[in-house]
Amino acid sequence: MLPGVDRAAFAASLAARLRRRGVPVGLTGVDDFLRAIDVAQPRTLPELYWTARITLVRRHSEIALFDEAFAEIFEATGPALDPHARRRPLARKNGADDAFAPLPDARAGGDDAGGLPWTTLPAVVAGAEDSDGPARVPELSPSDVEALGDVPFEQLDERECELLGGWLEEAAASWPTRRSRRFRVSWKGRGIAVRATLTRSRRTGWEPFRLAGKEPVVRPRRVVMLCDVSQSMRAQASAYLHLMRALTMTVDAEVFAFGTTLTRLTPVLASRSAAAAVELATERVTDRFGGTRIATNVRALLSSHHGAKVRGAIVLVGSDGWDGDPPEELGAAMARLSRRAHQVIWMNPRAAAPGFEPRVASMAAALPYCDLMLPAHTFGSLRDVIGAVAGSRFRW
Amino acid sequence: MAESGGLTSPAFTGADDIRRRLDELDYLVDDGTAAALFFALSLGRPLLLEGEPGVGKTTAAKALARALATPLIRLQCYEGLTAGEALYEWNYQRQMLAIRLAEARHDRLNDADLFTEDFLQERPILQAVRHRGPQPPVLLIDEIDRADDEFEALLFEFLGEASITIPELGTFTAERRPVVVLTSNRSRDLHDALRRRCLYHWIDFPAPERVVEILRRTVPGANEALIRSATDFVGRIRRFDLDKAPGMAETIDWVSALSSLGATELVREDVLRTLSTVAKTLDDREVITAALDQLT
């Protein structure tokens, strides 16, 4: 292959092509590629493929993009599919092909959730209906039907973000910690730091008068937040996004949104501008404001390669507990989650209503595995959530 | 460029050659892995291997060391790994002893006398840099994702220039660039600076035909029909929603266990007795047991 081809130009244009496709090819990669062609002249297309993939791609997530670009160039498959078109299936007409879609008239008709397929909820939030503000919870049925997000997330307000960030920083001083395997020199420590002792003994003619101790370094615990963005959580989704963004920017956090599928939002929400962050989040979470599958998504998190991040972390689940999956599945998934995590805190917007009882089957199934269940129905109540994460000794 | 990378004679003539040589050692690789190993050797660059657990990342490095007939130096990473355990450490106890001895003999002792190579303890990476031999050693930095991000920064000088600087002594540069293989299970995102310095290869779970081929080699006593049906079974249960999908290592264990029971085909009782080799959690055990009825 490649007889009489200007290899430098070929490599550069291939790299440019890949970069346009979203594979961030660096100069080191291009250099490697050229040297690799030099070392072993590729004779067949698969050989060229492996040479290019090994030298130019650096991440597993980029392999699919690379494959697409490579196929487009060398197999002449015609114009490629628009990646956006592939990520979001065509919008379905509401209720045209499924019986279990959230019913628009249920919303219009107030808190009546009649005619629902399998779960009928008690009117727990009837009292909250008259209070204005974001506390209003629309009464909707749980379902596992994927709906498509044409409604974007509400914009995050810069000021509220700062407020949350401020609360987090206030709480950071008493944030729960874990003992790491690193050591640092400390006079109080019990082990002996030989290096520090010897360095110090230089001042006293190499006579170690005072032993330097060492103690383990403590690290703040990671927070993993799972936020339900289904239809029934629509009122709270924006406030929870605020919290997730503040968490990613202030502490060591890993955040996910889920409806029917799980979407990792950590890199997206870390964006500096709130508007850009929410725009990216809207683009990423294609299944927002649809049905919920909590059990499936908790399981997906645990078995994905991000599952290790839950180990020893504080897990925040923001959901009203309306689940399209059977409750026993949620119970099993939550049991696994709580075995792996340090603490599981459930934020439930419905828990704020007077006389609330977790009577929804799935919420009742999940509750034994939660260390805390907190009401989180308004922006202000997130402050209490932060306080609860910081621990019982923490006072505002 | 390959010469300046430090390899005096190319160990392999091409990716096919590597595959043939590893084949002789009963380690079967696909085209991609063979190409990745070949380029890591010929370009003198570290190779970052990722893939599911049990897909043969560590074994690849071991097999490469055997094929090159060089020692394998292994650094197992864990949280809190520091320069003292990965690069080098001064032997403080010995230094202290030397001071005492010098005092007893009424010698004069300088700083420089205490920081010599006599008092230097080599750890795996320095050992790889200072290795003397006809072929460079293979350094396996296993499960780099388990070490914390601070540790990655320690590696940059070594990965980029194959050298280590010890402030008291100077810079050691490898005579021949060691072959470096890093593995990761993706439990943590590695830093871009680390990725940039390495070639990258993702090892997929092998295709069924290759699994059969690998099992034939690794479990020579196993019956052909057993290998085929076990491969088929593993392929199917890997599609289930399992906590820990069985990898290549588990499959090999399982077939060895089955063949040691004298099984010639998959029978329900035998599968149940040897299930502990494939199902690694209670939940998985239940899922697989439930699936057994439909599958066999």
Side-chain angles (χ1 to χ4, degrees):
Chain A
M1 286 192 82
L2 311 175
V5 170
D6 180 351
R7 289 180 192 166
F10 168 67
S13 60
L14 179 63
R17 206 56 176 266
L18 288 170
R19 246 177 261 134
R20 266 210 303 283
R21 279 310 195 105
V23 185
V25 178
L27 279 179
T28 323
V30 178
D31 182 44
D32 282 343
F33 178 58
L34 280 175
R35 281 168 50 198
I37 300 184
D38 219 30
V39 170
Q41 179 85 251
R43 280 156 305 176
T44 57
L45 197 60
E47 278 184 23
L48 180 66
Y49 168 83
W50 285 114
T51 311
R53 188 178 126 179
I54 286 160
T55 50
L56 297 175
V57 179
R58 292 288 193 268
R59 262 169 214 285
H60 181 236
S61 54
E62 290 156 12
I63 290 178
L65 292 172
F66 173 83
D67 287 353
E68 249 175 54
F70 192 86
E72 182 192 317
I73 300 167
F74 292 99
E75 281 159 28
T77 49
L81 290 167
D82 175 14
H84 284 281
R86 293 185 58 184
R87 240 179 294 153
R88 288 188 208 178
L90 290 173
R92 268 181 272 160
K93 286 221 172 58
N94 202 5
D97 56 348
D98 48 51
F100 302 140
L103 304 169
D105 47 340
R107 214 182 329 166
D111 56 7
D112 172 47
L116 294 176
W118 52 79
T119 314
T120 310
L121 282 161
V124 280
V125 288
E129 289 288 79
D130 45 16
S131 68
D132 45 18
R136 248 182 65 96
V137 178
E139 197 75 31
L140 284 163
S141 64
S143 80
D144 60 353
V145 177
E146 191 173 328
L148 295 156
D150 356 290
V151 191
F153 289 122
E154 281 164 50
Q155 280 300 322
L156 301 183
D157 181 7
E158 236 6 291
R159 199 185 57 80
E160 287 182 319
C161 276
E162 274 169 28
L163 205 59
L164 264 177
W167 291 341
L168 274 175
E169 267 160 32
E170 241 179 281
S174 63
W175 205 253
T177 53
R178 66 184 176 86
R179 198 177 136 156
S180 80
R181 293 239 17 220
R182 267 182 199 278
F183 286 90
R184 66 153 180 237
V185 176
S186 140
W187 297 107
K188 293 179 295 182
R190 298 182 65 190
I192 296 174
V194 193
R195 184 176 196 150
T197 305
L198 204 71
T199 315
R200 192 158 253 264
S201 74
R202 259 165 102 167
R203 301 180 200 163
T204 49
W206 299 109
E207 186 64 57
F209 276 116
R210 241 186 118 183
L211 294 180
K214 62 176 181 184
E215 63 174 14
V217 174
V218 291
R219 293 250 163 94
R221 279 189 190 273
R222 179 184 293 125
V223 179
V224 176
M225 180 162 171
L226 286 163
C227 173
D228 187 342
V229 290
S230 61
Q231 177 70 279
S232 59
M233 288 288 291
R234 199 167 149 183
Q236 285 80 26
S238 168
Y240 286 10
L241 272 183
H242 273 75
L243 179 62
M244 298 213 286
R245 178 155 180 268
L247 281 171
T248 44
M249 297 187 77
T250 323
V251 295
D252 179 14
E254 199 58 49
V255 297
F256 300 87
F258 68 89
T260 46
T261 55
L262 189 72
T263 317
R264 179 167 178 250
L265 287 182
T266 318
V268 169
L269 290 181
S271 165
R272 208 156 263 285
S273 122
V278 84
E279 197 175 300
L280 282 169
T282 307
E283 192 182 310
R284 276 290 169 92
V285 187
T286 48
D287 60 338
R288 61 189 180 277
F289 309 144
T292 330
R293 310 193 62 162
I294 308 179
T296 311
N297 287 309
V298 170
R299 257 205 322 265
L301 169 68
L302 290 175
S303 52
S304 75
H305 70 272
H306 296 295
K309 295 196 169 146
V310 177
R311 231 171 269 281
I314 297 165
V315 180
L316 289 173
V317 184
S319 169
D320 52 6
W322 287 19
D323 194 1
D325 290 324
E328 53 273 18
E329 270 188 34
L330 181 65
M334 288 302 291
R336 262 185 83 199
L337 185 70
S338 74
R339 279 201 293 270
R340 205 179 280 193
H342 172 68
Q343 203 180 13
V344 180
I345 299 177
W346 194 292
M347 302 156 54
N348 192 337
R350 286 165 195 280
F356 169 80
E357 269 179 65
R359 268 191 285 172
V360 185
S362 31
M363 195 64 240
L367 207 55
Y369 305 104
C370 300
D371 297 285
L372 273 176
M373 179 156 85
L374 298 169
H377 55 305
T378 58
F379 186 78
S381 59
L382 294 182
R383 187 167 183 253
D384 301 328
V385 172
I386 294 172
V389 172
S392 50
R393 282 168 299 148
F394 179 71
R395 293 274 171 277
W396 288 104
Chain B
M1 198 61 204
E3 287 76 38
S4 69
L7 288 178
T8 42
S9 61
F12 299 104
T13 53
D16 292 335
D17 185 32
I18 274 211
R19 195 158 53 168
R20 198 175 42 74
R21 293 268 292 276
L22 291 178
D23 198 81
E24 285 164 12
L25 297 168
D26 286 339
Y27 182 71
L28 302 179
V29 287
D30 54 13
D31 292 346
T33 314
L37 291 172
F38 175 66
F39 288 128
L41 283 169
S42 54
L43 304 185
R45 297 288 299 267
L47 175 65
L48 172 63
L49 290 178
E50 283 190 343
E52 280 177 54
V55 86
K57 302 184 288 290
T58 308
T59 325
K62 285 188 191 157
L64 186 65
R66 276 173 60 207
L68 288 169
T70 64
L72 174 81
I73 302 174
R74 181 170 177 166
L75 174 66
Q76 174 69 46
C77 296
Y78 55 86
E79 195 201 325
L81 187 65
T82 57
E85 286 105 30
L87 305 180
Y88 67 92
E89 182 70 297
W90 292 105
N91 192 340
Y92 300 110
Q93 285 83 352
R94 214 173 146 197
Q95 283 177 332
M96 213 109 72
L97 212 61
I99 296 165
R100 290 285 161 276
L101 279 174
E103 268 177 9
R105 293 190 198 122
H106 302 285
D107 285 348
R108 284 185 66 83
L109 201 62
N110 293 326
D111 255 18
D113 299 331
L114 281 176
F115 293 99
T116 60
E117 292 193 25
D118 294 344
F119 296 102
L120 193 66
Q121 285 179 320
E122 282 182 356
R123 300 291 191 230
I125 295 180
L126 184 62
Q127 209 180 327
V129 168
R130 301 217 303 174
H131 181 84
R132 299 279 174 273
Q135 283 285 344
V138 175
L139 174 67
L140 169 65
I141 303 179
D142 212 5
E143 304 191 39
I144 175 88
D145 51 329
R146 282 178 181 269
D148 32 22
D149 355 345
E150 290 93 330
F151 177 71
E152 281 177 31
L154 273 180
L155 286 178
F156 291 160
E157 185 194 3
F158 169 68
L159 292 181
E161 279 90 51
S163 65
I164 289 181
T165 304
I166 300 174
E168 293 90 345
L169 279 183
T171 304
F172 290 92
T173 308
E175 209 171 66
R176 294 190 186 80
R177 206 177 242 277
V179 183
V180 186
V181 179
L182 301 102
T183 71
S184 156
N185 280 328
R186 295 207 300 164
S187 68
R188 179 173 67 79
D189 236 0
L190 299 178
H191 203 278
D192 283 351
L194 181 80
R195 288 183 185 273
R196 187 181 69 74
R197 285 170 171 82
C198 305
L199 300 179
Y200 174 80
H201 180 57
W202 171 267
I203 304 189
D204 265 323
F205 190 79
E209 311 84 66
R210 192 168 294 278
V211 175
V212 169
E213 193 61 34
I214 293 171
L215 285 173
R216 262 187 220 137
R217 297 288 190 88
T218 47
V219 196
N223 178 289
E224 182 68 27
L226 175 72
I227 289 181
R228 289 216 173 265
S229 49
T231 307
D232 188 43
F233 185 79
V234 168
R236 284 204 236 170
I237 58 175
R238 274 177 62 80
R239 261 175 262 144
F240 291 158
D241 187 14
L242 296 177
D243 293 354
K244 164 77 186 79
M248 207 48 235
E250 281 90 347
T251 313
I252 292 173
D253 282 351
W254 188 44
V255 174
S256 318
L258 282 172
S259 77
S260 73
L261 285 180
T264 49
E265 55 186 13
L266 282 189
V267 187
R268 193 186 154 86
E269 286 71 48
D270 287 344
V271 174
L272 285 180
R273 265 194 281 172
T274 53
L275 205 56
S276 53
T277 51
V278 251
K280 297 297 168 78
T281 70
L282 186 62
D283 293 350
D284 284 0
R285 207 186 158 83
E286 279 163 12
V287 171
I288 296 175
T289 315
L292 253 180
D293 304 320
Q294 316 159 13
L295 291 180
T296 52

